[in-house]
Amino acid sequence: MIYCLAYKDLIIYQWMMMQILVTGATGFVGRKLVDYMLEQTSFNLRLAVRSKFDFCFGDRVSISTIPDISAYTNWRDALLDCQVVIHAAARVHVMQEFEQAPLDAFREVNVKGTLTLARQASASGVKRFIYLSSIKVNGELTAPGKPFCPHDSVMPQCDYAVSKYEAEQGLLKLAKETGMEVVIIRPVLVYGPSVKGNFKRMMDWMKKGVPLPFGLVNNQRSFVSVDNLVDLIVTCIKHPRAANQVFLVSDGHDLSTTVLLKKLRALMERRVLFVPVPVTILNYAAKLVGQKVVTDRLCGSLQVDISKTRELLDWQPCVNVDAVLKATVDAYICNEVV
């Protein structure tokens, strides 16, 4: 009995002393992840950043400067004494692409760079590699009532999604070859305070108060708050059943574009008119001006089934949609005032 207790205490001590490397630590998800881990866990963190910055996290955090991620990046110092890697850094999809060969640019960072880090991580003794992928690996749209599942056939349609899928495949192969555990997480659109991109654009529409042609949109979209995503990432650090699995993640509460916009309208106290334009007309007009992708995102459905994530990890979203939407709007208004 004494031996069992001593062994259990040793395991707990080892978890408490764990050193974790976080890439993409200054990004939208990475910043929230670091804050959460410092507040809610006892892990020691090493942050991989592009350049040194003036911010003191305390003695539980060390910084490694990694100027660029590619097939030739040397991660030796960053990986020293680390047991887990959380790889959130990536070349993300951009609205205006300036590369002549975009897929090659995505592959250099997201595939070659990721696998270089993973190989060096395995060689340095890292036990688990958590990879932040994208739901775009599954595809861009779902049919009504048929959400994406982790075991579905994949349909990556953009260069970014192709590179993410190729990285996933390389990591799973490496896991079989080396024994290093790999965890793949495919989030849907992530939102929360300080969010950028399409979600911020919707709040910009509310602020301007212009009429919006989405009165008849009755799609269903899955979203995930940065709080829920971070909570799942931390769960995957030490959960034994997370090893070598692919997880989809959302808030577990889907919304139509119109309902989401109306929630934002109420929170921002704006009088925005929703014009009842048929979706077929919106799609036709968008196709004429080369913006079909935009209407697909606004009018099409993209749902995910997180049953596997809930059941295998005994995990539930920790915050609800309305609470995070309010915090997101409050932060947006605060930033606009400043």
Side-chain angles (χ1 to χ4, degrees):
M1 182 65 178
I2 295 176
Y3 170 80
C4 291
L5 287 174
Y7 179 75
K8 183 179 179 182
D9 289 343
L10 176 62
I11 296 298
I12 293 173
Y13 177 75
Q14 288 174 336
W15 279 118
M16 290 177 63
M17 298 303 294
M18 180 179 291
Q19 178 94 348
I20 298 174
L21 173 65
V22 180
T23 74
T26 58
F28 175 54
V29 175
R31 291 197 308 270
K32 183 69 175 182
L33 176 63
V34 170
D35 290 342
Y36 181 96
M37 293 175 74
L38 289 176
E39 292 173 4
Q40 303 295 331
T41 76
S42 301
F43 302 138
N44 294 314
L45 307 180
R46 182 168 294 132
L47 313 184
V49 299
R50 285 186 174 181
S51 58
K52 290 288 185 182
F53 56 93
D54 253 349
F55 195 86
C56 182
F57 288 101
D59 57 7
R60 288 173 51 203
V61 177
S62 59
I63 306 294
S64 287
T65 303
I66 305 292
D68 295 294
I69 298 177
S70 71
Y72 306 102
T73 305
N74 184 343
W75 294 90
R76 182 184 60 186
D77 292 342
L79 289 165
L80 185 65
D81 297 327
C82 288
Q83 292 80 45
V84 174
V85 171
I86 301 174
H87 188 37
R91 184 180 195 271
V92 299
H93 47 288
V94 292
M95 297 302 292
Q96 290 185 319
E97 180 61 75
F98 297 105
E99 292 285 344
Q100 292 186 344
L103 182 55
D104 291 342
F106 281 115
R107 281 174 169 157
E108 182 63 31
V109 177
N110 297 348
V111 184
K112 296 177 183 178
T114 295
L115 297 182
T116 294
L117 169 58
R119 291 188 192 99
Q120 293 181 29
S122 175
S124 71
V126 167
K127 304 302 181 185
R128 180 167 289 188
F129 191 101
I130 300 174
Y131 181 59
L132 202 61
S133 187
S134 169
I135 195 58
K136 287 179 173 290
V137 168
N138 286 77
E140 297 286 344
L141 298 171
T142 55
K146 294 185 178 180
F148 286 135
C149 296
H151 58 266
D152 287 342
S153 298
V154 299
M155 292 185 296
Q157 296 178 28
C158 64
D159 293 338
Y160 167 75
V162 168
S163 70
K164 283 293 194 178
Y165 176 62
E166 290 177 355
E168 287 185 12
Q169 294 302 104
L171 288 171
L172 292 172
K173 180 181 178 183
L174 187 66
K176 291 181 179 178
E177 294 171 351
T178 66
M180 181 179 68
E181 297 172 349
V182 166
V183 183
I184 294 168
I185 299 174
R186 295 179 189 161
V188 291
L189 190 150
V190 186
Y191 70 100
S194 302
V195 67
K196 304 296 183 184
N198 290 332
F199 209 95
K200 179 180 180 297
R201 194 168 293 114
M202 288 189 282
M203 291 188 287
D204 290 339
W205 293 342
M206 293 299 112
K207 179 188 174 185
K208 292 176 182 177
V210 296
L212 297 173
F214 304 124
L216 296 178
V217 176
N218 193 30
N219 61 346
Q220 288 293 300
R221 306 283 299 191
S222 296
F223 301 91
V224 63
S225 74
V226 68
D227 304 80
N228 285 331
L229 175 56
V230 162
D231 187 65
L232 176 63
I233 293 171
V234 173
T235 298
C236 288
I237 290 173
K238 57 183 180 178
H239 200 299
R241 286 181 288 181
N244 305 319
Q245 297 289 338
V246 176
F247 297 107
L248 308 187
V249 58
S250 78
D251 289 331
H253 182 78
D254 300 342
L255 300 169
S256 71
T257 299
T258 303
V259 168
L260 173 60
L261 288 169
K262 286 182 177 179
K263 284 179 177 289
L264 293 175
R265 179 179 65 179
L267 289 167
M268 296 178 72
E269 299 181 348
R270 297 286 175 170
R271 292 185 177 182
V272 177
L273 176 66
F274 289 90
V275 183
V277 179
V279 173
T280 51
I281 293 179
L282 287 175
N283 285 331
Y284 179 74
K287 190 174 181 180
L288 287 178
V289 297
Q291 296 295 319
K292 183 65 166 60
V293 172
V294 176
T295 55
D296 282 346
R297 291 173 182 168
L298 290 170
C299 303
S301 293
L302 195 160
Q303 295 176 273
V304 298
D305 182 346
I306 62 170
S307 297
K308 174 184 174 181
T309 309
R310 292 178 188 268
E311 295 165 7
L312 194 64
L313 302 179
D314 192 25
W315 177 85
Q316 297 292 336
C318 61
V319 294
N320 65 60
V321 174
D322 289 334
V324 183
L325 283 178
K326 184 179 186 309
T328 303
V329 167
D330 288 347
Y332 174 84
I333 293 172
C334 181
N335 289 335
E336 291 296 305
V337 171
V338 172

